[in-house]
Amino acid sequence: MIQTPRALETEVTQQAGRRRTFAIISHPDAGKTTLTEKFLLYSGALLQAGAVKAREGRRQATSDWMSMEQERGISITSTALQFPYRGRVVNLLDTPGHRDFSEDTYRVLTAADAAVMVLDVAKGIEAQTRKLFEVCRARRLPILTFLNKCDRPGRDPLQLLDEIKEQIGLWATPVTWPVGDPGNFHGVIDRRTGDFVRFTRTARGIRVAPEELVHPDQAAREEGGAWTRAIEELDLLGAVGADLDLASFLAGESSPLFVGSALTNFGVRHLLDALIELAPSAQPRADMAGSTRPLAAEFSGFVFKKQANMDRAHRDHVAFVRVCSGRFERGMTLTHGPTGRPFSTKYATSLFGSDRRSIDEAFPGDVVGLVNAADLRIGDSLYAGDPVEYPAIPTFAPELFATARPRDSARFKQFRRGLEQLEQEGVVQVLHDPDGDPAPVLAAVGAMQFEVLTQRLQHEFGTLVDLVPTSHHLARRTDKTTAAALRDTRGVRILARRDGTLLAAFESPFWMDRLRADHPEWVLESVVAG
Ligand code: G4P
């Protein structure tokens, strides 16, 4: 049936309203994989969780989801996982968090509309959570917090709230609150209803668990001191105003907090429901000029991730595009913003791993994988109809640096060409020393980026490369005046990006802090650099 333009607009708006596109941010081991699996279980996409366990195998895998696929025999994509839940369409974007932590992890967050921050109740805020949170904050992304592993001994939850506020400046507003001491968890109070949700220990939560809801009066009788203490703590939270606040949540300033245990399924449904009810649906995105293209306008989107050679047999490039407006239909011809050239979407896929499934249509909030995308770069816009240019995806302050040289100097040309292409794809950042050694300095946020580069230079450009790590561990964006002042300082190296941006690389954070304290006038900007 042919749709009228008006009917199509209505459909696109409705479909966008159903989308919830989010990513999970956490430190390795906090429970992201377990929670992802439980989301699938609760959505009905998986009938049984944890069928097979092979943790060692998972450590080797290149993506959490690919490994889940291998070990549990289920098909999940390595970039975006889509499942229906209560009449909505949930897109969960993968932020690889184990050994393959890389700039990709950060970039994925630019395609999300919300995030779930998973904290281990025994550990609180950890290094990787903090880094990922910084990116969320820069985008003012709404964040839901899940305090995981409450089935085992942990820290005092009130202290954890303080820590969240102190360390990352986020105001946590508990929606559920634990009853019982750390290590002797009885369940939670749902602050919205006052009900007690009793915790029943289930072995690994293989199936969706029944939930026992207890009236507050009955809970007070049965839970005794633990209940009284929890009520006192809630009074305290009420007194300091730690109550759910939609406006500040949507502005990325406060974070509704849920308490649970992903392993035993406890609290998973509360969290998933909150995601549906509180997190924003796909909204119109601002373009470079700051204006927004309506959701119902013709198709537009931007590339937020690229992957080459996913299919060894085909040596292909896949670009992952976040849909911002309109309906995507496989086969449509789009315009590639930066070149103005047409781009055919005959091969659009939604699923990776051992299997690829073609995708026929997609709506704002969804992710489409475009095959044959060698000419597309990270941050590029694609559209049908009127042109639109979405803002560039920021590059991130690197933490690993290595000087690169081709092993065989006769292959210098291929080496240069390879670096140029891999830099465009966002595999690593290529820097140079404006006044010193002409050999390029490669920079990354994760070691895996160097491994990928080395392999691809060898296999695609026939060049073996020697990488010699430098002793620098963090970088800050700087300006010419500060760079000039820092040039001869011990433990600092000035490096430049291709576009002229200057970075000051430091050997130690303590040294940087010291220099900064002595010279507060110096420009040293952190994390997300434009
Ligand atoms: P990650 O993706 O964030 O790295 O974490 P993952 O889900 O792999 O979980 C890390 C470990 O924590 C796993 O244990 C997992 O079973 C456990 N875990 C996750 N959620 C909970 C929870 O709510 N309670 C408890 N007690 N443990 C939890 P492991 O021993 O490393 O592996 P496994 O043998 O259990 O798979």
Side-chain angles (χ1 to χ4, degrees):
M1 194 181 72
I2 294 179
Q3 244 176 341
T4 63
R6 173 67 62 83
L8 177 60
E9 283 183 13
T10 309
E11 188 192 1
V12 171
T13 310
Q14 277 175 352
Q15 292 286 0
R18 292 175 64 210
R19 267 40 184 194
R20 297 291 182 277
T21 302
F22 77 106
I24 299 180
I25 59 171
S26 66
H27 191 81
D29 275 349
K32 186 184 71 170
T33 314
T34 310
L35 187 63
T36 301
E37 194 189 38
K38 297 307 168 74
F39 279 158
L40 290 179
L41 181 71
Y42 273 73
S43 72
L46 252 188
L47 293 179
Q48 192 169 314
V52 191
K53 276 276 177 184
R55 190 153 175 82
E56 281 317 303
R58 196 166 86 208
R59 287 259 180 243
Q60 311 297 315
T62 54
S63 147
D64 293 348
W65 295 354
M66 254 167 74
S67 58
M68 274 170 62
E69 182 170 45
Q70 284 160 7
E71 82 188 40
R72 288 160 204 185
I74 50 174
S75 282
I76 1 182
T77 112
S78 59
T79 291
L81 176 61
Q82 189 178 69
F83 56 87
Y85 185 70
R86 286 181 44 197
R88 304 292 196 282
V89 178
V90 180
N91 291 307
L92 172 48
L93 308 182
D94 187 20
T95 47
H98 291 290
R99 61 186 287 271
D100 53 343
F101 186 71
S102 69
E103 283 179 80
D104 262 353
T105 312
Y106 286 151
R107 289 187 199 115
V108 164
L109 290 170
T110 65
D113 296 325
V116 169
M117 176 167 75
V118 180
L119 303 181
D120 181 330
V121 71
K123 302 205 170 130
I125 302 278
E126 296 176 85
Q128 210 144 295
T129 333
R130 193 176 297 117
K131 284 195 218 166
L132 291 164
F133 172 79
E134 289 297 335
V135 182
C136 295
R137 190 204 326 255
R139 289 205 50 225
R140 299 168 71 82
L141 218 55
I143 295 177
L144 295 160
T145 301
F146 188 64
L147 221 46
N148 192 28
K149 305 197 185 182
C150 287
D151 57 298
R152 54 179 211 195
R155 291 174 40 200
D156 172 28
L158 281 177
Q159 265 181 18
L160 282 173
L161 295 197
D162 280 346
E163 180 174 306
I164 298 171
K165 180 82 184 92
E166 264 166 34
Q167 293 211 6
I168 59 174
L170 190 66
W171 180 235
T173 58
V175 177
T176 62
W177 190 250
V179 178
D181 299 322
N184 184 18
F185 180 59
H186 295 198
V188 295
I189 300 181
D190 186 333
R191 289 180 80 197
R192 292 163 299 188
T193 58
D195 284 337
F196 176 55
V197 188
R198 199 188 301 278
F199 171 61
T200 32
R201 204 167 272 277
T202 52
R204 286 197 165 270
I206 289 170
R207 296 212 161 74
V208 170
E211 224 164 61
E212 191 187 347
L213 270 190
V214 180
H215 188 272
D217 295 341
Q218 188 188 337
R221 282 195 304 277
E222 291 172 359
E223 299 297 323
W227 180 261
T228 316
R229 229 177 10 263
I231 294 290
E232 281 167 7
E233 287 168 346
L234 286 185
D235 285 346
L236 199 71
L237 290 175
V240 297
D243 301 322
L244 178 66
D245 177 58
L246 200 59
S248 60
F249 161 61
L250 292 175
E253 290 157 9
S254 74
S255 174
L257 178 134
F258 295 81
V259 170
S261 150
L263 188 70
T264 61
N265 296 352
F266 192 80
V268 173
R269 189 185 58 77
H270 277 118
L271 182 63
L272 201 48
D273 284 350
L275 197 74
I276 296 298
E277 287 155 17
L278 305 177
S281 58
Q283 301 294 315
R285 285 233 165 190
D287 65 12
M288 280 294 272
S291 47
T292 48
R293 180 170 172 117
L295 290 172
E298 281 185 87
F299 171 85
S300 70
F302 65 91
V303 178
F304 66 92
K305 175 172 169 161
K306 267 198 82 173
Q307 225 154 336
N309 298 335
M310 290 182 74
D311 181 345
R312 298 231 164 258
H314 294 99
R315 252 189 166 243
D316 55 0
H317 291 255
V318 181
F320 294 94
V321 174
R322 147 85 196 216
V323 181
C324 297
S325 69
R327 178 166 69 186
F328 173 86
E329 284 170 76
R330 185 157 58 90
M332 74 199 302
T333 299
L334 302 173
T335 304
H336 175 224
T339 59
R341 289 205 199 110
F343 184 90
S344 162
T345 63
K346 196 162 145 207
Y347 304 104
T349 65
S350 69
L351 203 97
F352 292 96
S354 58
D355 183 22
R356 247 178 214 201
R357 201 177 287 164
S358 60
I359 187 168
D360 289 324
E361 60 172 16
F363 294 94
D366 291 344
V367 169
V368 178
L370 297 176
V371 186
N372 293 342
D375 295 334
L376 305 189
R377 297 181 197 170
I378 287 172
D380 285 359
S381 300
L382 289 153
Y383 51 81
D386 292 338
V388 59
E389 188 184 353
Y390 289 109
I393 292 189
T395 46
F396 300 93
E399 293 176 17
L400 299 168
F401 301 82
T403 307
R405 288 192 174 83
R407 199 163 293 173
D408 176 0
S409 54
R411 298 200 63 80
F412 192 74
K413 241 163 85 189
Q414 289 85 342
F415 167 75
R416 259 227 327 244
R417 202 158 45 83
L419 280 192
E420 208 173 301
Q421 185 184 322
L422 297 174
E423 182 188 22
Q424 281 169 9
E425 283 184 30
V427 173
V428 292
Q429 296 180 36
V430 180
L431 309 173
H432 66 275
D433 186 334
D435 341 272
D437 186 347
V441 176
L442 309 185
V445 306
M448 173 99 161
Q449 291 177 252
F450 288 154
E451 285 171 36
V452 171
L453 173 112
T454 308
Q455 282 199 3
R456 290 191 54 192
L457 274 180
Q458 182 179 351
H459 294 121
E460 293 168 43
F461 298 89
T463 309
L464 288 170
V465 65
D466 285 323
L467 294 183
V468 181
T470 77
S471 50
H472 304 92
H473 293 293
L474 78 161
R476 291 290 182 264
R477 189 156 63 151
T478 189
D479 66 359
K480 276 195 181 138
T481 317
T482 308
L486 277 170
R487 197 144 274 147
D488 297 320
T489 310
R490 185 171 50 85
V492 188
R493 188 167 177 196
I494 299 299
L495 295 164
R497 289 201 178 118
R498 193 182 297 275
D499 66 1
T501 307
L502 292 172
L503 295 178
F506 294 85
E507 288 186 357
S508 96
F510 307 106
W511 185 225
M512 184 189 73
D513 289 343
R514 169 81 195 281
L515 290 170
R516 218 181 203 167
D518 290 347
H519 299 277
E521 73 285 4
W522 283 356
V523 174
L524 295 167
E525 289 168 2
S526 63
V527 184
V528 186

